[in-house]
């Protein structure tokens, strides 16, 4: 245990040198079960404002479930999750407050196929934030420009390529002006040639100082962008470290095995 | 991605696309592929064409070439052509009853006016530049029935009912004012009224007050008009024919969709009381034939009501049809809801949309779109099922057609009126089905859909 704390300390220092020390997400003793299956075991995690965290691990390790607990898409049974000072409990008001500050991008994009790209982006600002339509559209266009697809605004999602759809999903999440962005394997459903355009959009977002939690197998992205890499297995955080330490000198044999398999091919 | 040439290497030149081989396209190509692809296939095509020719010619000979179009009685028809041709004069003589039942002849214009109003009410839904389509569609379903009762039923209505009718008329005026304004100027009705009165720069509160006053004035004018022009009362016992069929099925269709949506949502609800109530209702009404429900409502309902309380027979039939249709529609909608991937709910939740917002904005539009063929299929089924009300003694179009052959002048004339009713039903159902296909194409937002 002490080694992990040491590493976390190191990570924290590395972060603290460049970023703020405001704790934006605090997770302590988080436990979750699917029926009898213990998915998350005593997870402790603190995320600082502006930090970029990559979560990796084999499938079934609980990494997606962990980030889905942060905006209450999954309900946890034990432990505390505090997002930007608001504790996540069964209080619907708190859940709504947290959700409007946390944006999420899914593996399967989950765009609304019956709405145009622009309508996908303006829906939540108009109906959740009560923003006037013209203002929401201007905001959406500026964000679509940022992910480089303003010319697709009038099209429907299924008429776009996978990479374009995922960039729309990023723009749609950003339209709520979130403080935190969660990415749940954003490139796993994409053709190899489209992964880069999505990663580019994410890198740009990271440069602007967005707090990001990214579940991904893109180790190149982790190396380039992450402040901290977290490795999970069987519902536990096995190891966390800044990328150079994580990839250069992983402590645990489980991490070494994972890295050898994922980097070998 | 177009800068790969800068990387060097052997240049890649894509081949130009060629047109498809000539014998696979066009009319000749289509026929060769689908009708004459092999000797046995060609033989089947020829046999099929022969059967189709013989059938169609037989029908045409009977219905047109050998038919009698002018005669005084069935006897005269039989003397002229025997049974080789149809005897249409009987259908023509009874056409008013087949269409309108026993509705007084001098009042029939009211039925026509009623349906004309309905058509005018929904026409703006097809005008491209109209924005307030949802509001117009909702008023057509929720508010038009009051106006319809004014046309069809007539008589001296009570105060509350008169106000509702007046509101309905005011609403109709609003629909067309909105449709015209939005088509030609792009401004909403409210904005137009405010500009007309010169108060568009006042505070929002003042504007709302002015709009409320305008609405009240419209209501008042309509109320005065309704109280002045009272139409003679026509009891529902005189309603009949195709008119009655349209009333029953129209109300059934308009009621089944919204109540089916609510029942389907209730069945998927987390609250056990609501869920169980919805399941019970749906399963009860789905497992009993419509004819049984009609009989129950017709004969047993009066037994449970206190002495002296009489519920109109037509109303009983309509309620029975509505409940039955709602239960079926609920299962159709539930099927549509199950086709929506979980990711859609998750994406909506992650953006902070609540349950009703998610349902109205995200889930229902998709679920209803998927189920359009089945929903319209249900509508068509309901439209045809209303013929069952003839069994409890209502004179719908089918019962009226049967009545022709019981008239002493046209005694035994059954085939022709039924043939006419068949054509009438076919036109209506085919139109509904074509419209649904059209709607599907229009709402298709898939990869090959509208751009």
């Amino acid at each position: 245990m002490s080694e992990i704390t040491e590493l976390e300390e190191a990570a924290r220092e590395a972060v603290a040198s460049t970023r703020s020390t405001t704790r934006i997400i605090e997770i302590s003793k988080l436990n979750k079960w699917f029926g009898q299956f213990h998915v998350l075991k005593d997870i402790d995690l603190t995320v600082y404002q502006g930090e970029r965290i990559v979560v990796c691990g084999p499938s079934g390790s609980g990494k997606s479930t962990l980030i889905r607990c942060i905006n209450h898409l999954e309900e946890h049974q034990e432990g505390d999750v505090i997002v930007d000072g608001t504790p996540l409990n069964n209080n619907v008001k708190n859940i709504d407050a947290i959700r409007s500050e946390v944006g999420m991008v899914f593996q399967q994009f989950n765009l609304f196929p019956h709405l145009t790209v622009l309508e996908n982006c303006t829906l939540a600002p108009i109906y959740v934030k009560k923003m006037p339509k013209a203002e929401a559209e201007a905001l959406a266009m500026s964000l679509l420009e940022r992910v480089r697809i303003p010319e697709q605004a009038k099209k429907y999602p299924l008429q776009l390529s996978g990479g374009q759809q995922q960039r729309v999903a990023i723009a749609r999440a950003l339209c709520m002006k979130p403080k935190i962005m969660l990415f749940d394997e954003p490139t796993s459903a994409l053709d190899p040639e489209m992964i880069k355009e999505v990663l580019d959009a994410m890198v740009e977002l990271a440069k602007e100082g967005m707090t990001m939690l990214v579940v991904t197998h893109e180790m190149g992205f982790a190396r380039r962008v992450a402040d901290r890499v977290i490795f999970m297995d069987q519902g536990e955080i096995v190891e966390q470290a800044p990328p150079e330490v994580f990839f250069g000198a992983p402590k645990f044999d489980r991490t070494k095995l994972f890295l050898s398999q994922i980097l070998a091919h | 991605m177009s800068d790969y040439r800068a990387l060097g290497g052997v240049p890649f030149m894509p081949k130009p696309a060629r047109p498809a081989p000539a014998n696979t396209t066009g009319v000749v190509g289509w026929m060769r592929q689908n009708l004459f692809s092999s000797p046995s296939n060609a033989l089947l095509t020829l046999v099929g064409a022969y059967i189709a020719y013989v059938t169609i010619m037989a029908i045409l000979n009977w219905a047109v070439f050998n038919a009698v179009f002018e005669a005084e009685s069935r006897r005269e028809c039989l003397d002229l052509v025997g049974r080789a041709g149809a005897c249409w004069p009987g259908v023509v003589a009874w056409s008013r009853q087949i269409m309108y039942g026993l509705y007084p002849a001098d009042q029939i214009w009211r039925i026509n006016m009623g349906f004309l109003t309905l058509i005018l009410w929904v026409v703006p839904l097809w005008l491209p530049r109209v924005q307030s389509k949802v509001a117009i569609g909702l008023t057509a379903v929720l508010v038009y029935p009051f106006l319809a009762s004014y046309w069809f039923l007539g008589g001296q209505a009570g105060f509350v009912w008169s106000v509702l009718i007046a509101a309905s008329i005011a609403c109709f005026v609003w629909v067309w004012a909105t449709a015209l304004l939005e088509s030609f100027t792009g401004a909403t009705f409210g904005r137009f009224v405010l500009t007309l009165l010169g108060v568009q720069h006042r505070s929002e509160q003042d504007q709302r007050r002015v709009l409320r006053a305008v609405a009240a004035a419209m209501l008042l004018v309509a109320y005065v008009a309704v109280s002045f022009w009272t139409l003679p009362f026509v009891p529902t016992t005189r309603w009949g024919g195709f008119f009655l069929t349209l009333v029953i099925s129209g109300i059934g269709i308009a009621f089944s969709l919204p109540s089916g949506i609510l029942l389907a949502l209730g069945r998927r609800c987390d609250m056990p009381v609501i869920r169980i109530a919805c399941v019970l209702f749906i399963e009860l009404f789905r497992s009993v034939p419509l004819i049984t429900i009609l009989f129950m409502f017709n004969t047993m309902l009066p037994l449970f009501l206190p002495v002296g309380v009489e519920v109109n027979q037509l109303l009983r039939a309509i309620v029975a049809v509505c409940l039955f249709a709602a239960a079926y529609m609920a299962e159709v909608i539930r099927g549509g809801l199950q086709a929506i991937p979980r990711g859609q709910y998750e994406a909506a939740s992650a953006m902070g949309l609540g349950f009703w917002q998610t349902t109205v904005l995200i889930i229902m539009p998709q679920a209803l779109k998927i189920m359009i063929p089945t929903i319209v299929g249900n509508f068509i089924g309901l439209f045809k099922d209303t013929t069952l009300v003839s069994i409890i003694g209502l004179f719908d179009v089918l019962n009226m057609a049967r009545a022709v052959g019981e008239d002493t002048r046209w005694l035994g004339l059954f085939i022709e009126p039924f043939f006419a009713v068949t054509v009438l039903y076919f036109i209506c159902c085919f139109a509904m089905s074509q419209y649904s296909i059209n709607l599907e194409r229009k709402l298709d937002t898939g990869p090959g859909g509208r751009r």
Side-chain angles (χ1 to χ4, degrees):
Chain A
M1 275 315 274
S2 66
E3 280 166 335
I4 296 177
T5 14
E6 259 179 51
L7 281 171
E8 198 179 4
E9 215 54 57
R12 192 172 304 166
E13 275 168 24
V15 171
S17 59
T18 52
R19 317 213 159 259
S20 83
T21 49
T22 322
R23 294 157 175 245
I24 197 154
I25 304 174
E26 289 174 86
I27 298 174
S28 55
K29 290 273 167 275
L30 178 70
N31 277 283
K32 170 158 181 67
W33 289 263
F34 284 130
Q36 282 300 313
F37 180 57
H38 200 167
V39 218
L40 295 177
K41 300 169 186 163
D42 291 330
I43 302 283
D44 290 309
L45 178 66
T46 305
V47 180
Y48 295 88
Q49 192 163 6
E51 204 179 2
R52 281 97 38 140
I53 294 182
V54 164
V55 185
C56 61
S59 63
S61 59
K63 51 196 192 308
S64 284
T65 312
L66 172 62
I67 69 163
R68 287 157 64 92
C69 279
I70 294 170
N71 62 353
H72 206 260
L73 281 186
E74 300 287 356
E75 201 173 333
H76 58 272
Q77 280 90 8
E78 280 176 21
D80 297 312
V81 178
I82 301 171
V83 181
D84 200 21
T86 314
L88 202 53
N89 44 33
N90 284 328
N91 186 337
V92 179
K93 254 192 195 146
N94 285 1
I95 295 173
D96 286 348
I98 287 172
R99 279 178 177 167
S100 67
E101 287 190 1
V102 179
M104 186 154 193
V105 175
F106 300 84
Q107 182 179 354
Q108 299 297 340
F109 328 137
N110 292 350
L111 294 175
F112 305 130
H114 62 300
L115 300 176
T116 62
V117 164
L118 188 64
E119 288 165 342
N120 262 280
C121 292
T122 56
L123 186 84
I126 290 175
Y127 288 97
V128 178
K129 290 208 159 165
K130 313 290 173 204
M131 194 184 277
K133 195 176 170 204
E135 195 184 321
E137 279 178 356
L139 172 68
M141 283 314 292
S142 74
L143 288 166
L144 286 173
E145 244 156 68
R146 224 165 87 183
V147 295
R148 305 211 175 81
I149 35 173
E151 71 283 358
Q152 312 285 2
K154 295 283 174 219
K155 284 198 186 167
Y156 288 91
L158 296 182
Q159 293 160 357
L160 306 183
S161 73
Q164 291 172 324
Q165 288 191 50
Q166 194 60 298
R167 284 186 283 156
V168 172
I170 294 173
R172 176 176 77 171
L174 291 176
C175 276
M176 286 295 280
K177 297 182 178 163
K179 291 186 177 168
I180 304 163
M181 283 286 283
L182 308 175
F183 292 84
D184 189 358
E185 304 205 26
T187 56
S188 300
L190 294 176
D191 289 344
E193 281 196 322
M194 294 168 181
I195 291 178
K196 186 176 174 294
E197 62 190 55
V198 171
L199 289 181
D200 283 349
M202 289 166 63
V203 169
E204 210 159 294
L205 193 60
K207 277 187 198 147
E208 288 161 20
M210 174 68 73
T211 311
M212 292 163 72
L213 271 93
V214 186
V215 173
T216 185
H217 298 299
E218 295 296 331
M219 291 301 127
F221 174 80
R223 248 187 257 256
R224 260 168 76 203
V225 175
D227 296 313
R228 185 161 28 136
V229 183
I230 292 178
F231 174 66
M232 287 181 73
D233 189 28
Q234 314 219 3
E236 288 180 67
I237 293 181
V238 178
E239 186 158 354
Q240 49 181 319
E244 52 277 15
V245 181
F246 183 84
F247 292 108
K251 276 260 150 74
F252 287 81
D253 52 354
R254 184 68 188 88
T255 319
K256 283 179 184 165
L257 177 68
F258 176 77
L259 286 176
S260 72
Q261 277 168 346
I262 200 168
L263 297 176
H265 68 92
Chain B
M1 289 295 145
S2 58
D3 53 357
Y4 62 89
R5 286 198 179 84
L7 300 173
V10 181
F12 164 64
M13 286 295 175
K15 287 178 188 162
R18 283 193 298 129
N23 60 356
T24 60
T25 55
V27 179
V28 178
W30 182 87
M31 279 173 64
R32 194 177 293 178
Q33 276 194 331
N34 294 290
L35 300 178
F36 301 101
S37 59
S38 69
S40 57
N41 212 335
L43 189 69
L44 277 177
T45 303
L46 292 176
V47 171
Y50 177 71
I51 294 175
Y53 170 78
V54 169
T55 317
I56 292 171
M57 278 319 286
I59 294 177
L60 281 179
N61 274 335
W62 176 79
V64 183
F65 301 131
N66 296 337
V68 178
F69 292 94
E70 266 172 63
E72 284 304 309
S73 70
R74 179 138 191 264
R75 192 70 263 150
E76 213 180 312
C77 284
L78 289 175
D79 290 343
L80 277 171
V81 293
R83 290 179 190 279
C87 180
W88 293 120
V91 178
V92 174
W94 274 76
S95 59
R96 201 190 78 217
Q97 283 88 337
I98 289 176
M99 295 307 283
Y100 303 106
L102 303 176
Y103 212 83
D106 59 337
Q107 299 293 321
I108 279 173
W109 64 272
R110 281 162 49 180
I111 296 179
N112 297 336
M113 280 304 288
F115 284 107
L116 186 67
T117 328
L118 178 60
I119 290 167
L120 286 178
W121 203 305
V122 293
V123 158
L125 296 179
W126 284 275
L127 300 180
R129 293 191 57 196
V130 175
Q131 297 295 314
S132 322
K133 283 186 181 167
V134 176
I136 292 174
L138 279 177
T139 56
V141 173
L142 299 175
V143 186
Y144 167 74
F146 301 112
L147 188 53
S149 88
Y150 172 74
W151 287 121
F152 299 155
L153 204 57
Q156 199 71 51
F159 174 71
V160 178
W161 198 252
S162 302
V163 170
L164 287 173
I165 291 170
S168 187
I169 292 172
C171 206
F172 180 67
V173 173
W174 170 82
V175 164
W176 266 94
T178 303
L180 291 175
L181 283 169
E182 286 180 357
S183 292
F184 293 111
T185 64
T188 61
F189 182 62
R191 186 112 322 267
F192 173 75
V193 169
L194 291 173
T195 319
L196 202 66
L197 297 174
V199 290
Q200 72 272 39
H201 302 301
R202 297 279 188 82
S203 74
E204 215 166 282
Q205 205 176 1
D206 278 358
Q207 293 190 357
R208 220 172 296 145
R209 228 173 272 155
V210 170
L211 285 180
R212 244 179 250 151
V214 170
M218 280 168 66
L219 190 64
L220 193 70
V221 171
Y223 180 77
V224 170
V226 169
S227 339
F228 257 103
W229 290 291
T230 324
L231 297 165
F233 179 64
V234 179
T236 55
T237 45
R238 309 202 60 169
W239 296 17
F242 193 57
F243 160 58
L244 187 73
T245 300
L246 284 182
V247 167
I248 297 175
S249 54
I251 294 177
I253 286 171
F255 178 84
S256 69
L257 194 60
S259 52
I261 289 174
L262 291 180
L263 281 170
L265 290 174
R267 194 170 184 163
R268 290 164 60 98
C269 177
D270 288 332
M271 283 171 270
V273 178
I274 295 178
R275 190 178 59 237
I276 291 170
C278 290
V279 169
L280 279 179
F281 177 88
I282 292 169
E283 294 305 331
L284 180 72
F285 276 88
R286 251 162 45 101
S287 45
V288 179
L290 175 57
I291 190 76
T292 317
I293 299 174
L294 281 171
F295 269 126
M296 293 264 273
F297 272 76
N298 196 41
T299 55
M300 289 178 64
L301 195 66
L303 300 181
F304 296 113
L305 292 174
V307 181
V309 176
E310 183 115 1
V311 181
N312 180 304
Q313 194 193 14
L314 176 61
L315 191 62
R316 286 187 301 224
I318 287 175
V319 171
V321 167
C322 282
L323 297 181
F324 181 79
Y328 265 87
M329 191 56 72
E331 288 300 280
V332 172
I333 307 284
R334 195 167 67 95
L337 289 176
Q338 271 165 351
I340 307 298
R342 221 180 91 187
Q344 295 286 306
Y345 292 93
E346 284 178 355
S349 296
M351 286 157 65
L353 292 171
F355 171 78
W356 286 109
Q357 286 177 329
T358 306
T359 304
V360 172
L361 299 169
I362 311 295
I363 305 303
M364 273 307 154
Q366 296 184 57
L368 294 178
K369 197 181 88 184
I370 299 170
M371 297 316 276
I372 285 174
T374 326
I375 291 173
V376 176
N378 257 28
F379 286 170
I380 291 173
L382 181 66
F383 181 66
K384 294 186 294 186
D385 279 352
T386 52
T387 47
L388 287 174
V389 300
S390 61
I391 293 178
I392 59 166
L394 293 173
F395 272 81
D396 77 319
V397 63
L398 201 67
N399 229 358
M400 272 299 168
R402 184 163 34 219
V404 179
E406 285 157 8
D407 180 1
T408 45
R409 266 172 70 200
W410 308 102
L411 204 63
L413 190 75
F414 290 114
I415 298 178
E416 287 83 352
F418 282 140
F419 188 85
V421 170
T422 307
V423 172
L424 195 59
Y425 266 104
F426 178 77
I427 292 170
C428 293
C429 295
F430 188 67
M432 275 196 255
S433 143
Q434 286 302 303
Y435 182 65
S436 99
I437 291 171
N438 193 331
L439 201 61
E440 271 174 72
R441 211 171 288 146
K442 210 172 102 187
L443 294 179
D444 182 15
T445 55
R450 67 179 159 157
R451 272 152 207 260

